[in-house]
Amino acid sequence: MLNVVSLIIGVLALIFAAVAFLPLLGWANWLIIPLAVVGAAVGMGSHSKAGRNLNLFVIAVGVIRLMLGGGIL
């Protein structure tokens, strides 16, 4: 059950991260990364690793996007 919740959080965060790739919306990653961290924490309580791995991927994408935009853009 925890894996399903983690996957739902991860998919939502991934959708928001895709929107945050648009120019001038990079600041949204400051909100998406903590959401994905919560999803990864929930996924750690599960026996399956899919939800946790999805959220870790979203965190990596968000951090790379923030680095490319200088933390703001």
Side-chain angles (χ1 to χ4, degrees):
M1 183 65 183
L2 289 175
N3 190 44
V4 173
V5 173
S6 178
L7 281 170
I8 290 171
I9 293 171
V11 168
L12 286 174
L14 187 61
I15 291 169
F16 292 142
V19 172
F21 258 95
L22 294 173
L24 301 176
L25 291 179
W27 57 267
N29 285 305
W30 288 107
L31 303 173
I32 294 165
I33 293 172
L35 178 65
V37 169
V38 169
V42 170
M44 280 195 242
S46 173
H47 293 292
S48 180
K49 296 179 183 178
R52 185 198 66 202
N53 290 343
L54 175 62
N55 284 294
L56 291 176
F57 173 74
V58 173
I59 291 168
V61 167
V63 167
I64 290 170
R65 172 63 173 96
L66 278 174
M67 288 186 336
L68 289 174
I72 298 172
L73 302 174

